[in-house]
Amino acid sequence: SPEDRIRNFSIIAHIDHGKSTLADRLLEITGTVTKEDMKQQLLDSMDIERERGITIKLNTARMNVEEDGKDYVLNLIDTPGHVDFTYEVSRSLAACEGALLVVDATQGVQAQTLANVTLAMEADLEIVPVLNKCDLPSADPDRVCQEIEDVVGIDCSNALQCSAKTGEGVPAIIKSIIDAVPAPTKSEDQKMRLLVFDSFYDNYRGVIAMFRVVDGSISKGQKIRFKNSGKEFLVEEIGIMIGGARRPVQKLAVGEVGYVCANIKTVGDARVGDTIIEAGTEDEVEALPGYTEATPMVFCGLFPSESGDFDAMRSAFEKLSLNDAALFFQPENSVALGLGFRCGFLGVLHMEVVKERLEREYDLDLIVTAPSVEYQLLMKDGTETTIQFANMLPPPIDIAEIREPYCLLEMIVPEEHMGPCMELAVQRRGIYRTTSFLTQGRALLEYEMPMAEMIRDFFAELKSRSRGYASMDYRIIDFRANDLVKLEVDINKTTANPLAQIVHRSRVTEFAKKITKILRDEIPAQQIKVIIQARIGTHIVSSANIKAVRKDVLAKCYGGDITRKKKLLQKQAAGKKRMQAIGKVNVPSEAILAVIKQT
Ligand code: GDP
Ligand code: MG
């Protein structure tokens, strides 16, 4: 039957190990896309993704291949390559029967190799190990095979070696997909169930949902229902993706992968992980397992630098959220930063990508506040709530317990850099779990660590302590009660709201000192004395003063050269624009930002 000739597979890899390059080669060698048509890295189509070399939104490609005189259909289901998008990775893997595990033969197993392979095993996929970059002189495929066997625990005696760059060894991979990846199991007579593994917004067609037919079939003109959201639509078009282009078809049967357009207005109505069923069958047909709503894990405030940009920012957010079901935003009025938004993201990268898109695609100049995690509060009256910003914290007297999210952190580091990396983990309140050694001088370290410490530039610090060699991955495991307090900052007795943060008691002194020092250096001297105090409740942890200066700043330039005078005036004018009055003190926005960035 036709489904015997279908192979649905993904490529999983650590960042930079060659997933996109291999996907390109597969499309090229199967003649799906001609070399002339092939844009560099076709599958990563968003600009930011291309620049950062990561895949955020998934793309699929259908390839037709002839092998031993038989025609096969290979559906490549691309997965996002970042830890923030684990849920989306798990849904696209759920649409496959197999996965190519690509490992850079010069680098070996890395943190996301492990994370991805764990997901693939949980999805019961047939895993085909592929050693890439074998064209490089430093490639050591035998050692890396051993490493995969030791760490991942899969047989590598038949591991394939290739160069995605030159194409060497890639035809053998195609043969291996056909031989090793199972065909979809058939259940053609059953009622329609489609797994949505990606959805995105198209300006002309509205939302396009990518799906895998798990049971039954779908036809044009049918009335469908998203089982979890309960939304119903009339199918306008179904089809398959060939090299980035949509080709409409009349019907797609069990095992096949395709797209559907049904006049859907936002991706929130066609969420990844939802099950499409035939309208009217909702009482008899169950949803496919594994659906969860994307929950934001990292929060921050985003404010326009120009207060007049607030409306433009709101409309930009609305447009972005058509295509991003995980993006959370809500207007906020901050004393120091003006009108802006409180936002929630899947993780730090998701946050950076959204910020970058607002700046680039919508031409907005933004101020970002320090990222925060979500805290669970148990109140003394027995009620529970969650908060995402220090300003939302009720009086401590009413709180019985504050819980913060913990993650399981896996780092792979060269043994010679283990010391400084472990020191960092402890500094960040990490709880040591285990060490295991990989082949040839690398160690896999496991810690449990508060997520709040992770989002404070942990990865950058880890990279610098390992000379760039460490890789890491994390996943949230639970919430734990800790001794957490609100650290606030007063400037001449007026509280600077954007600077409040929730900090573990053990780190309060360090943070308080840092904050007062930064503000002392960044706030220009004024006509009155400035007193900066970092405090918990009424207890002052650290303070600093800035002496008053005479009114005419230019007096000191008297007789000095004219350009210096001019420069000073210019600087003052520019400064004025971004000054915020906190109490009677003029605080430059840069001072607030410096604190937010460095704590
Ligand atoms: P991804 O992050 O896994 O998608 O990795 P990419 O496909 O973007 O590749 C990362 C870098 O490795 C790019 O600069 C590629 O040109 C390079 N690369 C990928 N495959 C090979 C290969 O087989 N040999 C060599 N020498 N370089 C490769
Ligand atoms: Mg890529």
Side-chain angles (χ1 to χ4, degrees):
S1 63
E3 61 267 20
D4 290 342
R5 306 281 180 81
I6 299 175
R7 299 292 179 273
N8 296 321
F9 73 104
S10 283
I11 307 177
I12 53 178
H14 186 77
I15 287 166
D16 278 348
H17 282 200
K19 187 173 78 167
S20 301
T21 310
L22 180 59
D24 286 354
R25 268 319 70 68
L26 290 171
L27 294 184
E28 196 183 292
I29 288 174
T30 56
T32 311
V33 176
T34 61
K35 213 164 193 163
E36 305 84 73
D37 288 349
M38 173 97 57
K39 279 182 282 159
Q40 190 67 35
Q41 307 214 333
L42 181 85
L43 286 177
D44 294 4
S45 45
M46 249 164 68
D47 276 359
I48 298 166
E49 292 181 12
R50 207 176 296 172
E51 274 169 34
R52 292 179 172 231
I54 47 162
T55 312
I56 294 164
K57 284 312 259 186
L58 336 167
N59 259 310
T60 64
R62 175 166 161 142
M63 297 170 261
N64 293 306
V65 179
E66 201 194 299
E67 181 78 31
D68 291 335
K70 292 181 197 148
D71 293 324
Y72 290 89
V73 170
L74 309 190
N75 289 309
L76 166 59
I77 296 174
D78 200 13
T79 58
H82 191 276
V83 50
D84 287 358
F85 302 91
T86 300
Y87 172 67
E88 299 197 14
V89 175
S90 81
R91 292 306 86 204
S92 28
L93 294 180
C96 299
E97 276 77 30
L100 297 178
L101 172 65
V102 173
V103 183
D104 182 333
T106 70
Q107 299 267 309
V109 171
Q110 293 293 352
Q112 271 123 51
T113 315
L114 277 178
N116 283 317
V117 91
T118 307
L119 290 173
M121 284 169 162
E122 280 167 8
D124 260 337
L125 302 193
E126 183 65 35
I127 296 165
V128 179
V130 174
L131 300 166
N132 189 33
K133 307 200 187 181
C134 289
D135 58 298
L136 294 174
S138 56
D140 190 349
D142 293 337
R143 173 180 74 85
V144 175
C145 271
Q146 189 61 47
E147 208 170 69
I148 299 172
E149 291 197 345
D150 292 350
V151 187
V152 179
I154 57 173
D155 177 22
C156 280
S157 48
N158 293 318
L160 300 157
Q161 300 187 9
C162 79
S163 164
K165 192 174 174 185
T166 66
E168 177 100 41
V170 178
I173 295 175
I174 294 169
K175 189 170 185 322
S176 186
I177 294 167
I178 292 168
D179 294 342
V181 175
T185 46
K186 37 202 135 146
S187 35
E188 193 153 13
D189 312 330
Q190 278 170 288
K191 292 246 168 5
M192 178 217 284
R193 284 206 295 182
L194 320 178
L195 172 65
V196 179
F197 60 83
D198 187 20
S199 64
F200 51 91
Y201 186 79
D202 179 276
N203 282 333
Y204 302 102
R205 307 303 306 266
V207 172
I208 297 176
M210 301 296 309
F211 62 79
R212 148 84 191 257
V213 185
V214 177
D215 294 319
S217 64
I218 180 171
S219 303
K220 197 179 159 177
Q222 231 174 346
K223 198 166 181 202
I224 54 168
R225 182 184 177 99
F226 287 81
K227 172 82 181 175
N228 291 294
S229 76
K231 296 267 166 65
E232 295 194 351
F233 302 93
L234 197 63
V235 175
E236 282 181 343
E237 182 179 310
I238 54 169
I240 53 178
M241 291 287 213
I242 298 183
R246 296 192 291 272
R247 181 182 300 168
V249 301
Q250 292 299 316
K251 182 182 169 190
L252 287 167
V254 70
E256 292 199 274
V257 170
Y259 69 88
V260 56
C261 305
N263 204 11
I264 306 169
K265 296 282 188 278
T266 105
V267 289
D269 291 339
R271 286 181 189 257
V272 170
D274 208 339
T275 306
I276 299 177
I277 59 173
E278 192 176 354
T281 66
E282 55 271 19
D283 294 335
E284 351 158 27
V285 181
E286 281 194 28
L288 294 160
Y291 176 76
T292 52
E293 295 217 348
T295 39
M297 293 308 306
V298 174
F299 300 83
C300 75
L302 284 176
F303 295 86
S305 307
E306 306 288 333
S307 56
D309 281 347
F310 177 77
D311 287 328
M313 199 169 158
R314 182 203 296 274
S315 97
F317 264 126
E318 278 161 5
K319 280 196 197 115
L320 284 183
S321 67
L322 291 175
N323 200 20
D324 187 346
L327 177 62
F328 162 87
F329 63 100
Q330 185 187 312
E332 164 166 37
N333 196 349
S334 151
V335 180
L337 301 170
L339 275 181
F341 294 88
R342 272 178 187 194
C343 311
F345 307 94
L346 294 172
V348 179
L349 179 93
H350 185 211
M351 177 177 85
E352 283 173 9
V353 167
V354 169
K355 175 177 174 273
E356 243 174 85
R357 293 192 64 185
L358 288 169
E359 289 181 331
R360 271 200 227 180
E361 294 169 29
Y362 297 91
D363 207 20
L364 294 163
D365 193 14
L366 300 177
I367 296 173
V368 197
T369 68
S372 164
V373 296
E374 183 162 80
Y375 296 90
Q376 295 178 344
L377 307 184
L378 174 63
M379 306 304 289
K380 286 200 176 134
D381 65 8
T383 57
E384 295 197 20
T385 58
T386 57
I387 60 158
Q388 299 87 23
F389 296 90
N391 295 337
M392 299 164 81
L393 203 67
I397 189 100
D398 299 332
I399 304 172
E401 201 172 270
I402 307 180
R403 302 182 202 121
E404 61 176 330
Y406 268 68
C407 54
L408 179 67
L409 165 69
E410 291 182 324
M411 308 184 275
I412 295 183
V413 295
E415 278 172 46
E416 68 262 36
H417 302 306
M418 256 173 82
C421 294
M422 293 176 85
E423 228 166 66
L424 173 68
V426 171
Q427 226 174 59
R428 302 294 184 100
R429 298 190 282 135
I431 301 164
Y432 174 76
R433 290 241 314 223
T434 57
T435 308
S436 30
F437 290 93
L438 282 66
T439 50
Q440 275 194 9
R442 293 194 309 147
L444 169 63
L445 304 169
E446 274 186 32
Y447 283 83
E448 291 168 5
M449 186 182 282
M451 185 70 183
E453 302 285 349
M454 181 77 78
I455 64 178
R456 290 185 171 123
D457 263 357
F458 182 83
F459 186 48
E461 184 66 19
L462 181 70
K463 277 274 180 195
S464 96
R465 286 175 184 233
S466 63
R467 304 250 168 99
Y469 284 110
S471 65
M472 61 163 260
D473 196 89
Y474 66 84
R475 68 188 152 81
I476 303 282
I477 40 177
D478 52 19
F479 277 74
R480 297 180 195 176
N482 269 328
D483 192 2
L484 300 165
V485 291
K486 178 156 89 168
L487 180 63
E488 290 179 277
V489 181
D490 287 354
I491 297 173
N492 285 8
K493 296 286 177 194
T494 303
T495 306
N497 279 319
L499 298 182
Q501 45 187 307
I502 295 172
V503 181
H504 191 262
R505 199 179 294 275
S506 67
R507 304 199 68 196
V508 161
T509 315
E510 176 198 337
F511 273 68
K513 281 190 177 152
K514 214 168 172 182
I515 292 170
T516 47
K517 182 181 182 308
I518 294 169
L519 289 176
R520 191 190 61 209
D521 295 346
E522 296 279 333
I523 297 176
Q526 330 234 327
Q527 290 169 53
I528 50 170
K529 182 179 174 188
V530 177
I531 304 168
I532 302 154
Q533 295 170 315
R535 60 175 175 85
I536 297 169
T538 56
H539 170 67
I540 290 159
V541 186
S542 168
S543 67
N545 297 336
I546 303 169
K547 278 195 212 143
V549 284
R550 271 181 300 162
K551 188 168 188 169
D552 187 5
V553 201
L554 291 179
K556 65 180 169 193
C557 293
Y558 182 75
D561 76 83
I562 195 74
T563 47
R564 191 167 151 226
K565 220 174 217 174
K566 248 190 199 158
K567 265 188 200 151
L568 196 58
L569 280 170
Q570 271 169 1
K571 225 173 161 183
Q572 269 186 330
K576 223 170 240 157
K577 210 177 75 190
R578 297 174 65 93
M579 284 291 185
Q580 317 279 345
I582 294 179
K584 290 199 174 99
V585 180
N586 288 322
V587 180
S589 299
E590 286 71 20
I592 292 173
L593 287 179
V595 173
I596 286 166
K597 281 214 181 90
Q598 291 174 49
T599 54

